[in-house]
Amino acid sequence: MAVRLLGSSQMMNAASSYSSSSSRMFVHRDNTDRKKVTFKSTNFSIRAHSSSLAGESVVTLLDYGAGNVRSVRNAIRHLGYDIKDVNTPEDILNANRLIFPGVGAFAPAMDVLNLNGWVPNANSLEFFSAGPLPHQFLLGEALIEYIKSDRPFLGICLGLQLLFESSEENGPVKGLGLIPGVVGRFDSSIGFRVPHIGWHALKIVKDSEILDDVGDCHVYFVHSYRAMPSDDNKEWISSVCNYGEDFIASIRRGNVHAVQFHPEKSGDVGLSVLRRFLQPTSTATRKASSQKASKLAKRVIACLDVRTNDKGDLVVTKGDQYDVREHTKENEVRNLGKPVELAQQYYKDGADEVSFLNITGFRDFPLGDLPMLQVLRYTSENVFVPLTVGGGIRDFTDANGRHYSSLEVASEYFRSGADKVSIGSDAVYAAEEYIRTGVKTGKTSLEQISRVYGNQAVVVSIDPRRVYLKNPDDVEFKTIRVTNPGPNGEEYAWYQCTVNGGREGRPIGAYELAKAVEELGAGEILLNCIDCDGENELYCFQVTCLLVPQLFSGINDFLLSGQGKGFDLDLIQLVSDAVSIPVIASSGAGAVEHFSDVFKKTNASAALAAGIFHRKEVLFSSASPQLFQFLMEFMIPIRSVKEHLLKEGVEVRMLTADYLPQDVQAEKVAAIR
Ligand code: 1PR
């Protein structure tokens, strides 16, 4: 019997039904009272042999279809390698180099390793789940044997955790048992936000060739569980990180490597980790590491609001308080460029993440919007930082009466290259219902997607408007005393959530919504503010500077001095205090100081901006070639923002290319003036 799978919850069923008829496994119950399968001892000998497919340019990939492995595939291909997928235990034993990018949760991943193979299907996987065994070994047994024989292996994220004895995730659940230790959850009670999402520098504790290019650079992590260093496992550890406590960031023993971070999402540095694994003979020298303590870096995220314009083209647009139409006779949708090109540009400029928001998703069906899926596919081929996509994630019935679940919509986004999905309107309805009934139905899009893909893959996008009050007791929602009084001298406000792109106000506050969605499974909050969205004084000033050349030299000073109104700090602090998951501050950035303000005055983990990054694109296209070159090199807002943050003592991830010595910069400027 074959079981057709869409996600990891189905994998659990597949594994359970197989285990009951298999004589090769023990079956036991753990404290979750869920049927579990574990390996018999693996005292057998498997002779690995080379397959003609496993040539030097081929990498074997163990992908069981539970999340976005497209990025790992893209990164491997980007480095010039072909991929052979594992379908059977023999494929593991025949590999020359094996990469295991574990995704999803620990228990379902172990359940898959307790199977003895699968056959790929166009959009999902069909697993052999019972009946006569078509293969001699289980996948996990083959994996243990492969690793024990010191063959080239790279585990990524869950692919590291599964090597340990067990995990507390939905458990305890037994792991492969190769490394002593238990994988546990980060402790959010000590003031650290969980999941641990973002860029962190490593403390390298032993020579691990694949980390030779990393030095002090930051790499990208996203996880809620971690393995801890101990005397029993210290021989394995090659680097650690500190997030409230030390955790294992990578291991190395002989040819066996595993990393808790995501090299495929860590930009050029991450690609170099993969390259060094794939070409271990590379002679490049090791980059020095200062070993200085690193905190989780604050993230700077570029956001692209995407929609189809009146001509039918998918464009990046940007509204002012969500109004994206030009105030001209034609009333066209503001067109700021092409989504794939802009995303690539921001990646090169140093954006820590890129978000696409399909802003007409509330009325259009995203799976009917194939261009958006294409945008994701193309972008993920060349952009090696996390990609989030939002807009229209909800259940939908099309004109032919076919029903699509929000999980199917999200799955399609993940398969197309998204690392996270962002839910707006549907999360508001789910939170309202949850607050009203106090019952988690498990059926909302938020709950379903986070159950299958993990809460780190689910962002809730909140679109509130500030409502001023004379008296804080006038509403049933959480109010704040505002820093700047309202138009009639009001000293208080609450933040009313909206749906449908800000068109409809709902009877729920941002504070209440944030708390409810955290309980329902959100891993992160994207906190917009309609009142602050899309400040454009900076753009006007830049245009003026170009038209009046004498002012040109003032642009950089202006960028560093700031003119826009900035983030709504009251709102951001209100919501960050409500939850223990990371909060992304959004809306209103118009100057570099706004970023340092938001990081110094609130507990935001990341700051997202759109207008400040896009508008130079329009501006630059009218510049002379020399001026264009100058602007591109020195007026990159993302770089300016990060340099400013660094100067202000805020830890951020910098590109290695950003550290251009001052004299080289001065020479370049002189050459074009
Ligand atoms: O409700 O699940 O379909 O999701 C719709 C998503 O689209 C939501 O995340 C919602 O915020 C977004 N959205 C809907 N309409 C608009 C619009 O602009 N007309 N854009 C819209 C929201 C906010 C950010 C923006 C920041 C930073 N835009 O995307 O980029 O505010 O801008 P700034 O730096 O220029 O101030 P669903």
Side-chain angles (χ1 to χ4, degrees):
M1 182 186 84
V3 175
R4 198 162 196 281
L5 300 174
L6 244 183
S8 44
S9 59
Q10 291 95 330
M11 286 176 201
M12 291 195 276
N13 299 335
S16 301
S17 59
Y18 172 61
S19 65
S20 55
S21 63
S22 166
S23 59
R24 294 186 58 81
M25 297 187 228
F26 295 124
V27 176
H28 71 89
R29 285 181 186 277
D30 61 20
N31 61 359
T32 61
D33 201 33
R34 196 174 130 253
K35 212 184 258 182
K36 284 276 176 293
V37 286
T38 54
F39 298 114
K40 269 184 170 176
S41 79
T42 52
N43 306 329
F44 53 88
S45 128
I46 300 174
R47 275 196 67 79
H49 54 89
S50 291
S51 132
S52 56
L53 271 167
E56 276 308 302
S57 64
V58 177
V59 181
T60 303
L61 190 69
L62 178 47
D63 169 13
Y64 47 87
N68 174 20
V69 177
R70 178 181 280 266
S71 311
V72 177
R73 291 177 183 277
N74 284 339
I76 294 170
R77 291 202 182 103
H78 183 85
L79 294 171
Y81 290 81
D82 294 325
I83 294 166
K84 171 163 182 6
D85 280 294
V86 168
N87 294 323
T88 67
E90 286 77 12
D91 292 332
I92 294 178
L93 300 170
N94 290 338
N96 271 358
R97 320 175 187 79
L98 178 67
I99 297 188
F100 182 22
V103 280
F106 195 98
M110 274 311 294
D111 286 347
V112 171
L113 293 178
N114 279 315
L115 296 172
N116 67 345
W118 55 60
V119 283
N121 188 320
N123 292 322
S124 62
L125 297 168
E126 283 184 10
F127 287 73
F128 295 110
S129 61
L133 295 179
H135 301 285
Q136 210 184 344
F137 310 111
L138 302 178
L139 291 162
E141 289 171 331
L143 191 54
I144 290 173
E145 195 55 27
Y146 181 90
I147 291 173
K148 279 188 171 169
S149 28
D150 194 28
R151 314 271 304 282
F153 173 83
L154 177 63
I156 298 175
C157 194
L158 189 61
L160 172 142
Q161 297 180 7
L162 290 162
L163 305 181
F164 284 79
E165 288 168 313
S166 66
S167 171
E168 288 166 2
E169 186 175 8
N170 315 117
V173 179
K174 281 203 171 182
L176 295 176
L178 290 160
I179 307 179
V182 175
V183 176
R185 195 170 197 276
F186 280 113
D187 182 1
S188 58
S189 69
I190 54 173
F192 286 82
R193 287 175 192 267
V194 181
H196 171 235
I197 299 182
W199 298 78
H200 225 126
L202 306 176
K203 187 168 168 217
I204 296 173
V205 296
K206 92 165 174 209
D207 192 11
S208 164
E209 288 154 20
I210 65 165
L211 302 180
D212 279 0
D213 293 324
V214 174
D216 286 332
C217 295
H218 292 78
V219 289
Y220 184 77
F221 290 87
V222 50
H223 57 132
S224 298
Y225 289 81
R226 83 286 179 251
M228 309 278 279
S230 72
D231 281 349
D232 293 336
N233 60 31
K234 65 175 182 233
E235 285 170 16
W236 287 86
I237 302 171
S238 54
S239 71
V240 293
C241 241
N242 188 281
Y243 191 57
E245 58 202 352
D246 275 357
F247 70 89
I248 298 175
S250 65
I251 61 107
R252 188 251 168 114
R253 201 171 208 182
N255 292 312
V256 175
H257 301 266
V259 290
Q260 180 59 66
F261 58 90
H262 286 264
E264 78 284 8
K265 289 284 147 193
S266 298
D268 281 347
V269 169
L271 291 176
S272 78
V273 172
L274 285 172
R275 191 182 295 110
R276 285 203 174 252
F277 171 70
L278 297 170
Q279 295 167 6
T281 48
S282 154
T283 50
T285 49
R286 176 146 40 117
K287 206 175 203 172
S289 155
S290 64
Q291 300 285 5
K292 65 175 187 228
S294 161
K295 289 196 288 228
L296 182 63
K298 299 290 184 180
R299 285 170 281 156
V300 176
I301 301 176
C303 180
L304 294 90
D305 290 352
V306 179
R307 63 161 287 166
T308 310
N309 66 10
D310 301 327
K311 293 187 200 119
D313 304 322
L314 198 66
V315 298
V316 174
T317 189
K318 184 68 204 81
D320 285 318
Q321 302 197 345
Y322 287 27
D323 176 6
V324 298
R325 298 224 167 235
E326 300 281 14
H327 293 170
T328 56
K329 199 158 61 110
E330 291 75 25
N331 199 224
E332 286 175 333
V333 170
R334 199 167 289 134
N335 180 347
L336 296 171
K338 296 184 181 162
V340 178
E341 283 172 19
L342 272 181
Q344 282 173 5
Q345 188 59 53
Y346 294 148
Y347 165 61
K348 285 190 200 141
D349 293 351
D352 296 320
E353 289 183 32
V354 175
S355 289
F356 291 106
L357 293 178
N358 176 353
I359 66 170
T360 50
F362 66 91
R363 61 163 184 255
D364 302 331
F365 176 46
L367 296 191
D369 200 354
L370 291 174
M372 190 65 210
L373 297 175
Q374 285 295 16
V375 162
L376 269 176
R377 288 181 196 128
Y378 290 139
T379 304
S380 65
E381 279 172 20
N382 293 302
V383 172
F384 298 106
V385 292
L387 299 177
T388 302
V389 65
I393 296 179
R394 65 196 158 94
D395 293 351
F396 188 88
T397 304
D398 70 14
N400 304 320
R402 158 126 204 240
H403 180 77
Y404 297 84
S405 72
S406 53
L407 184 59
E408 282 176 278
V409 177
S411 300
E412 198 53 47
Y413 276 148
F414 288 125
R415 272 196 287 275
S416 302
D419 299 283
K420 306 188 240 184
V421 292
S422 155
I423 309 176
S425 309
D426 214 44
V428 178
Y429 302 128
E432 285 179 16
E433 184 70 4
Y434 175 52
I435 292 170
R436 199 174 56 75
T437 61
V439 176
K440 291 184 195 169
T441 62
K443 293 188 179 143
T444 62
S445 50
L446 180 50
E447 290 165 283
Q448 289 189 50
I449 300 167
S450 70
R451 187 168 54 245
V452 173
Y453 290 98
N455 73 341
Q456 80 293 334
V458 186
V459 182
V460 166
S461 167
I462 309 184
D463 298 300
R465 268 183 208 286
R466 197 185 307 122
V467 182
Y468 287 107
L469 297 168
K470 284 225 151 51
N471 184 342
D473 301 325
D474 285 352
V475 286
E476 60 188 286
F477 310 105
K478 179 94 171 170
T479 56
I480 52 156
R481 198 182 186 120
V482 286
T483 310
N484 300 311
N488 302 310
E490 299 93 334
E491 288 184 7
Y492 299 91
W494 72 288
Y495 287 90
Q496 181 182 22
C497 293
T498 65
V499 292
N500 299 347
R503 286 167 182 77
E504 187 193 338
R506 298 295 303 179
I508 183 168
Y511 179 89
E512 290 77 15
L513 180 75
K515 281 182 105 56
V517 296
E518 178 177 23
E519 285 180 39
L520 290 172
E524 209 170 13
I525 285 179
L526 164 55
L527 185 56
N528 301 294
C529 176
I530 299 181
D531 310 275
C532 297
D533 178 61
E535 299 294 345
N536 63 7
E537 291 106 346
L538 173 65
Y539 173 56
C540 300
F541 185 85
Q542 285 177 316
V543 172
T544 314
C545 287
L546 273 186
L547 297 177
V548 185
Q550 299 90 303
L551 286 179
F552 168 68
S553 61
I555 296 181
N556 209 24
D557 294 342
F558 174 79
L559 269 177
L560 295 171
S561 72
Q563 292 285 308
K565 289 191 190 133
F567 297 96
D568 188 328
L569 302 181
D570 291 337
L571 168 66
I572 294 157
Q573 196 50 45
L574 173 78
V575 171
S576 327
D577 286 347
V579 293
S580 62
I581 53 180
V583 173
I584 303 167
S586 164
S587 306
V592 291
E593 278 79 6
H594 297 153
F595 292 85
S596 46
D597 274 356
V598 80
F599 290 136
K600 286 178 163 184
K601 297 180 183 166
T602 77
N603 294 322
S605 301
L608 171 147
I612 189 176
F613 299 146
H614 304 329
R615 287 183 171 113
K616 70 140 202 211
E617 203 65 32
V618 179
L619 173 69
F620 285 16
S621 59
S622 61
S624 69
Q626 288 95 336
L627 182 55
F628 185 88
Q629 190 191 341
F630 174 83
L631 291 170
M632 290 308 285
E633 281 195 44
F634 295 106
M635 300 295 297
I636 295 168
I638 295 175
R639 191 186 294 172
S640 305
V641 166
K642 289 195 166 182
E643 276 168 3
H644 169 76
L645 289 170
L646 213 54
K647 220 166 65 192
E648 291 292 310
V650 178
E651 182 160 342
V652 285
R653 160 214 176 221
M654 298 297 285
L655 299 178
T656 27
D658 284 338
Y659 296 109
L660 261 191
Q662 291 293 317
D663 52 337
V664 177
Q665 287 192 23
E667 262 173 42
K668 289 200 171 204
V669 176
I672 61 164
R673 277 203 171 147

